[in-house]
Short mmCIF file of all heavy atoms in Angstrom, two decimals:
data_model
loop_
_atom_site.label_atom_id
_atom_site.label_comp_id
_atom_site.label_asym_id
_atom_site.label_seq_id
_atom_site.Cartn_x
_atom_site.Cartn_y
_atom_site.Cartn_z
N VAL Y 4 -0.09 8.70 -0.21
CA VAL Y 4 0.03 9.87 -1.08
C VAL Y 4 0.29 11.09 -0.20
O VAL Y 4 -0.46 11.37 0.75
CB VAL Y 4 -1.26 10.08 -1.89
CG1 VAL Y 4 -1.13 11.34 -2.74
CG2 VAL Y 4 -1.53 8.87 -2.76
N ALA Y 5 1.36 11.80 -0.48
CA ALA Y 5 1.70 13.00 0.30
C ALA Y 5 0.64 14.08 0.09
O ALA Y 5 0.11 14.23 -1.02
CB ALA Y 5 3.06 13.54 -0.11
N PRO Y 6 0.28 14.81 1.14
CA PRO Y 6 -0.71 15.87 1.01
C PRO Y 6 -0.20 16.96 0.08
O PRO Y 6 1.01 17.20 -0.01
CB PRO Y 6 -0.89 16.38 2.42
CG PRO Y 6 0.38 16.03 3.12
CD PRO Y 6 0.83 14.74 2.50
N PRO Y 7 -1.09 17.62 -0.66
CA PRO Y 7 -0.65 18.68 -1.56
C PRO Y 7 0.00 19.83 -0.80
O PRO Y 7 -0.43 20.17 0.31
CB PRO Y 7 -1.95 19.14 -2.24
CG PRO Y 7 -3.02 18.72 -1.30
CD PRO Y 7 -2.55 17.45 -0.66
N LEU Y 8 1.03 20.41 -1.39
CA LEU Y 8 1.75 21.50 -0.76
C LEU Y 8 1.12 22.84 -1.12
O LEU Y 8 0.60 23.03 -2.22
CB LEU Y 8 3.22 21.51 -1.17
CG LEU Y 8 4.10 20.38 -0.66
CD1 LEU Y 8 5.51 20.54 -1.18
CD2 LEU Y 8 4.09 20.32 0.86
N ARG Y 9 1.19 23.75 -0.17
CA ARG Y 9 0.73 25.12 -0.38
C ARG Y 9 1.83 26.04 0.10
O ARG Y 9 2.55 25.74 1.05
CB ARG Y 9 -0.55 25.35 0.44
CG ARG Y 9 -1.00 26.79 0.56
CD ARG Y 9 -2.21 26.87 1.47
NE ARG Y 9 -2.59 28.25 1.78
CZ ARG Y 9 -3.53 28.58 2.68
NH1 ARG Y 9 -4.21 27.64 3.31
NH2 ARG Y 9 -3.80 29.86 2.93
N ARG Y 10 2.00 27.16 -0.57
CA ARG Y 10 2.95 28.18 -0.13
C ARG Y 10 2.22 29.51 -0.02
O ARG Y 10 1.53 29.93 -0.96
CB ARG Y 10 4.13 28.31 -1.08
CG ARG Y 10 5.26 29.21 -0.51
CD ARG Y 10 6.46 29.24 -1.43
NE ARG Y 10 7.56 30.01 -0.89
CZ ARG Y 10 8.56 29.52 -0.17
NH1 ARG Y 10 8.62 28.21 0.06
NH2 ARG Y 10 9.52 30.29 0.30
N THR Y 11 2.35 30.15 1.13
CA THR Y 11 1.61 31.39 1.39
C THR Y 11 2.60 32.49 1.79
O THR Y 11 3.46 32.28 2.66
CB THR Y 11 0.58 31.20 2.51
OG1 THR Y 11 -0.31 30.16 2.14
CG2 THR Y 11 -0.21 32.48 2.75
N ARG Y 12 2.47 33.62 1.14
CA ARG Y 12 3.26 34.80 1.52
C ARG Y 12 2.39 35.66 2.44
O ARG Y 12 1.23 35.93 2.17
CB ARG Y 12 3.65 35.60 0.28
CG ARG Y 12 4.48 36.85 0.59
CD ARG Y 12 4.85 37.61 -0.67
NE ARG Y 12 5.68 36.81 -1.56
CZ ARG Y 12 5.32 36.38 -2.75
NH1 ARG Y 12 4.10 36.67 -3.22
NH2 ARG Y 12 6.14 35.67 -3.51
N VAL Y 13 2.98 36.11 3.55
CA VAL Y 13 2.24 36.86 4.56
C VAL Y 13 2.96 38.17 4.84
O VAL Y 13 4.16 38.19 5.09
CB VAL Y 13 2.09 36.06 5.88
CG1 VAL Y 13 1.22 36.83 6.87
CG2 VAL Y 13 1.52 34.68 5.61
N ARG Y 14 2.23 39.25 4.79
CA ARG Y 14 2.74 40.58 5.13
C ARG Y 14 2.04 41.03 6.41
O ARG Y 14 0.81 41.10 6.46
CB ARG Y 14 2.46 41.55 3.99
CG ARG Y 14 2.35 43.00 4.35
CD ARG Y 14 3.68 43.62 4.74
NE ARG Y 14 4.71 43.43 3.72
CZ ARG Y 14 5.98 43.71 3.94
NH1 ARG Y 14 6.37 44.17 5.12
NH2 ARG Y 14 6.87 43.52 2.98
N VAL Y 15 2.81 41.27 7.48
CA VAL Y 15 2.26 41.67 8.77
C VAL Y 15 2.69 43.10 9.06
O VAL Y 15 3.90 43.40 9.05
CB VAL Y 15 2.72 40.74 9.91
CG1 VAL Y 15 2.00 41.08 11.21
CG2 VAL Y 15 2.47 39.27 9.54
N SER Y 16 1.76 43.98 9.33
CA SER Y 16 2.09 45.36 9.67
C SER Y 16 1.57 45.67 11.08
O SER Y 16 0.71 44.98 11.61
CB SER Y 16 1.47 46.33 8.67
OG SER Y 16 0.06 46.31 8.74
N GLY Y 17 2.12 46.72 11.64
CA GLY Y 17 1.80 47.10 13.01
C GLY Y 17 3.07 47.15 13.84
O GLY Y 17 4.17 47.28 13.29
N THR Y 18 2.95 47.03 15.14
CA THR Y 18 4.12 47.02 16.00
C THR Y 18 4.60 45.58 16.11
O THR Y 18 4.21 44.82 17.00
CB THR Y 18 3.79 47.58 17.40
OG1 THR Y 18 3.18 48.88 17.25
CG2 THR Y 18 5.04 47.72 18.25
N VAL Y 19 5.43 45.20 15.15
CA VAL Y 19 5.88 43.80 15.06
C VAL Y 19 7.41 43.70 15.00
O VAL Y 19 7.94 42.62 14.74
CB VAL Y 19 5.25 43.11 13.85
CG1 VAL Y 19 3.78 42.88 14.08
CG2 VAL Y 19 5.46 43.89 12.56
N GLN Y 20 8.10 44.81 15.21
CA GLN Y 20 9.56 44.78 15.29
C GLN Y 20 9.98 45.14 16.71
O GLN Y 20 9.46 46.05 17.32
CB GLN Y 20 10.17 45.75 14.26
CG GLN Y 20 9.88 45.35 12.84
CD GLN Y 20 10.73 46.12 11.83
OE1 GLN Y 20 11.72 46.77 12.17
NE2 GLN Y 20 10.33 46.04 10.56
N GLY Y 21 10.96 44.38 17.22
CA GLY Y 21 11.41 44.59 18.58
C GLY Y 21 10.52 43.95 19.61
O GLY Y 21 10.58 44.29 20.78
N VAL Y 22 9.67 43.01 19.20
CA VAL Y 22 8.74 42.36 20.12
C VAL Y 22 8.88 40.86 20.11
O VAL Y 22 8.07 40.15 20.71
CB VAL Y 22 7.28 42.75 19.79
CG1 VAL Y 22 7.06 44.24 19.97
CG2 VAL Y 22 6.89 42.30 18.39
N GLY Y 23 9.88 40.33 19.43
CA GLY Y 23 10.06 38.90 19.32
C GLY Y 23 9.15 38.25 18.30
O GLY Y 23 8.84 37.06 18.41
N PHE Y 24 8.73 39.00 17.29
CA PHE Y 24 7.79 38.44 16.31
C PHE Y 24 8.48 37.44 15.38
O PHE Y 24 7.89 36.40 15.05
CB PHE Y 24 7.13 39.55 15.51
CG PHE Y 24 5.85 39.10 14.82
CD1 PHE Y 24 4.67 39.02 15.55
CD2 PHE Y 24 5.85 38.75 13.49
CE1 PHE Y 24 3.50 38.57 14.93
CE2 PHE Y 24 4.69 38.33 12.87
CZ PHE Y 24 3.51 38.24 13.60
N ARG Y 25 9.69 37.72 14.96
CA ARG Y 25 10.39 36.76 14.10
C ARG Y 25 10.64 35.44 14.83
O ARG Y 25 10.38 34.38 14.26
CB ARG Y 25 11.70 37.37 13.58
CG ARG Y 25 11.51 38.40 12.49
CD ARG Y 25 12.82 39.05 12.08
NE ARG Y 25 13.43 39.77 13.19
CZ ARG Y 25 14.62 40.36 13.11
NH1 ARG Y 25 15.32 40.32 11.99
NH2 ARG Y 25 15.12 41.02 14.14
N PRO Y 26 11.12 35.45 16.09
CA PRO Y 26 11.23 34.19 16.83
C PRO Y 26 9.89 33.48 16.99
O PRO Y 26 9.82 32.26 16.93
CB PRO Y 26 11.80 34.63 18.18
CG PRO Y 26 12.55 35.87 17.88
CD PRO Y 26 11.78 36.56 16.81
N HIS Y 27 8.82 34.26 17.17
CA HIS Y 27 7.47 33.70 17.26
C HIS Y 27 7.12 32.95 15.97
O HIS Y 27 6.63 31.80 16.02
CB HIS Y 27 6.48 34.84 17.53
CG HIS Y 27 5.05 34.52 17.26
ND1 HIS Y 27 4.36 33.53 17.95
CD2 HIS Y 27 4.15 35.07 16.39
CE1 HIS Y 27 3.10 33.47 17.51
NE2 HIS Y 27 2.97 34.40 16.56
N VAL Y 28 7.36 33.56 14.83
CA VAL Y 28 7.10 32.92 13.53
C VAL Y 28 7.97 31.68 13.36
O VAL Y 28 7.49 30.62 12.93
CB VAL Y 28 7.34 33.93 12.38
CG1 VAL Y 28 7.24 33.22 11.03
CG2 VAL Y 28 6.34 35.07 12.46
N TYR Y 29 9.23 31.80 13.73
CA TYR Y 29 10.18 30.69 13.58
C TYR Y 29 9.70 29.47 14.39
O TYR Y 29 9.69 28.35 13.87
CB TYR Y 29 11.55 31.15 14.06
CG TYR Y 29 12.65 30.13 13.96
CD1 TYR Y 29 13.49 30.08 12.84
CD2 TYR Y 29 12.88 29.22 14.98
CE1 TYR Y 29 14.52 29.15 12.75
CE2 TYR Y 29 13.90 28.27 14.89
CZ TYR Y 29 14.71 28.24 13.78
OH TYR Y 29 15.72 27.30 13.70
N ARG Y 30 9.31 29.69 15.63
CA ARG Y 30 8.87 28.58 16.46
C ARG Y 30 7.59 27.95 15.94
O ARG Y 30 7.44 26.72 15.93
CB ARG Y 30 8.67 29.06 17.90
CG ARG Y 30 9.97 29.49 18.59
CD ARG Y 30 9.74 29.81 20.07
NE ARG Y 30 10.93 30.36 20.67
CZ ARG Y 30 11.10 31.64 20.97
NH1 ARG Y 30 10.13 32.51 20.74
NH2 ARG Y 30 12.23 32.06 21.52
N LEU Y 31 6.65 28.80 15.49
CA LEU Y 31 5.41 28.26 14.94
C LEU Y 31 5.66 27.43 13.69
O LEU Y 31 5.05 26.38 13.48
CB LEU Y 31 4.43 29.41 14.61
CG LEU Y 31 3.66 30.04 15.76
CD1 LEU Y 31 2.76 31.15 15.24
CD2 LEU Y 31 2.84 28.99 16.52
N ALA Y 32 6.55 27.92 12.83
CA ALA Y 32 6.86 27.20 11.60
C ALA Y 32 7.44 25.81 11.91
O ALA Y 32 7.08 24.82 11.28
CB ALA Y 32 7.82 28.00 10.74
N HIS Y 33 8.34 25.75 12.90
CA HIS Y 33 8.92 24.46 13.27
C HIS Y 33 7.88 23.57 13.94
O HIS Y 33 7.88 22.35 13.74
CB HIS Y 33 10.13 24.68 14.16
CG HIS Y 33 11.37 25.02 13.41
ND1 HIS Y 33 12.29 24.08 13.01
CD2 HIS Y 33 11.83 26.20 12.93
CE1 HIS Y 33 13.26 24.66 12.34
NE2 HIS Y 33 13.01 25.96 12.27
N GLU Y 34 7.01 24.17 14.74
CA GLU Y 34 5.96 23.40 15.41
C GLU Y 34 5.04 22.73 14.41
O GLU Y 34 4.57 21.60 14.63
CB GLU Y 34 5.17 24.33 16.32
CG GLU Y 34 4.04 23.66 17.10
CD GLU Y 34 3.28 24.66 17.94
OE1 GLU Y 34 3.91 25.61 18.43
OE2 GLU Y 34 2.05 24.48 18.10
N HIS Y 35 4.80 23.40 13.26
CA HIS Y 35 3.89 22.86 12.25
C HIS Y 35 4.66 22.24 11.07
O HIS Y 35 4.05 21.93 10.04
CB HIS Y 35 2.97 23.96 11.75
CG HIS Y 35 1.99 24.43 12.77
ND1 HIS Y 35 2.28 25.43 13.68
CD2 HIS Y 35 0.72 24.02 13.07
CE1 HIS Y 35 1.24 25.64 14.48
NE2 HIS Y 35 0.28 24.78 14.13
N ALA Y 36 5.98 22.09 11.23
CA ALA Y 36 6.82 21.43 10.23
C ALA Y 36 6.70 22.12 8.87
O ALA Y 36 6.56 21.45 7.82
CB ALA Y 36 6.49 19.94 10.11
N LEU Y 37 6.78 23.45 8.87
CA LEU Y 37 6.66 24.23 7.64
C LEU Y 37 8.03 24.75 7.20
O LEU Y 37 8.90 25.02 8.01
CB LEU Y 37 5.72 25.41 7.84
CG LEU Y 37 4.27 25.07 8.21
CD1 LEU Y 37 3.49 26.33 8.51
CD2 LEU Y 37 3.61 24.27 7.10
N ALA Y 38 8.21 24.87 5.90
CA ALA Y 38 9.41 25.46 5.34
C ALA Y 38 9.14 26.93 5.04
O ALA Y 38 8.00 27.40 5.08
CB ALA Y 38 9.80 24.73 4.07
N GLY Y 39 10.22 27.66 4.74
CA GLY Y 39 10.05 29.07 4.36
C GLY Y 39 11.02 29.99 5.06
O GLY Y 39 12.13 29.58 5.44
N PHE Y 40 10.60 31.24 5.27
CA PHE Y 40 11.48 32.24 5.87
C PHE Y 40 10.66 33.35 6.50
O PHE Y 40 9.45 33.50 6.22
CB PHE Y 40 12.42 32.83 4.83
CG PHE Y 40 11.73 33.69 3.79
CD1 PHE Y 40 11.47 35.05 4.03
CD2 PHE Y 40 11.33 33.15 2.57
CE1 PHE Y 40 10.82 35.84 3.09
CE2 PHE Y 40 10.68 33.94 1.63
CZ PHE Y 40 10.42 35.27 1.89
N VAL Y 41 11.31 34.14 7.33
CA VAL Y 41 10.73 35.35 7.89
C VAL Y 41 11.82 36.41 7.96
O VAL Y 41 13.00 36.08 8.16
CB VAL Y 41 10.12 35.10 9.28
CG1 VAL Y 41 11.18 34.66 10.28
CG2 VAL Y 41 9.41 36.35 9.80
N ARG Y 42 11.46 37.68 7.75
CA ARG Y 42 12.43 38.75 7.87
C ARG Y 42 11.71 40.06 8.14
O ARG Y 42 10.55 40.24 7.81
CB ARG Y 42 13.26 38.87 6.59
CG ARG Y 42 12.47 39.27 5.34
CD ARG Y 42 13.34 39.25 4.12
NE ARG Y 42 12.59 39.40 2.88
CZ ARG Y 42 13.08 39.19 1.68
NH1 ARG Y 42 14.34 38.80 1.53
NH2 ARG Y 42 12.32 39.35 0.59
N ASN Y 43 12.45 40.98 8.76
CA ASN Y 43 11.99 42.35 8.92
C ASN Y 43 12.26 43.13 7.65
O ASN Y 43 13.20 42.83 6.90
CB ASN Y 43 12.72 43.05 10.07
CG ASN Y 43 12.19 42.66 11.43
OD1 ASN Y 43 11.12 42.08 11.56
ND2 ASN Y 43 12.94 43.00 12.47
N ASP Y 44 11.45 44.14 7.41
CA ASP Y 44 11.78 45.12 6.40
C ASP Y 44 11.30 46.48 6.86
O ASP Y 44 10.90 46.64 8.03
CB ASP Y 44 11.21 44.74 5.02
CG ASP Y 44 9.69 44.65 4.99
OD1 ASP Y 44 9.04 45.21 5.89
OD2 ASP Y 44 9.14 44.02 4.06
N THR Y 45 11.35 47.46 6.01
CA THR Y 45 11.03 48.82 6.44
C THR Y 45 9.53 49.04 6.69
O THR Y 45 9.14 50.07 7.22
CB THR Y 45 11.50 49.84 5.38
OG1 THR Y 45 10.98 49.45 4.08
CG2 THR Y 45 13.01 49.88 5.31
N ARG Y 46 8.70 48.07 6.34
CA ARG Y 46 7.25 48.20 6.55
C ARG Y 46 6.70 47.32 7.64
O ARG Y 46 5.56 47.50 8.06
CB ARG Y 46 6.52 47.91 5.23
CG ARG Y 46 6.80 48.91 4.10
CD ARG Y 46 5.94 48.60 2.90
NE ARG Y 46 6.31 47.33 2.29
CZ ARG Y 46 5.49 46.58 1.56
NH1 ARG Y 46 4.24 46.97 1.37
NH2 ARG Y 46 5.91 45.45 1.01
#
Side-chain angles (χ1 to χ4, degrees):
V4 178
L8 290 180
R9 168 184 172 187
R10 189 177 183 93
T11 303
R12 180 180 297 115
V13 185
R14 155 70 54 190
V15 186
S16 65
T18 306
V19 289
Q20 295 192 15
V22 297
F24 199 79
R25 286 176 297 177
H27 163 62
V28 172
Y29 181 94
R30 294 186 186 105
L31 281 181
H33 279 266
E34 181 181 326
H35 293 87
L37 298 174
F40 68 85
V41 62
R42 63 185 171 193
N43 281 346
D44 61 19
T45 52
R46 295 185 293 155

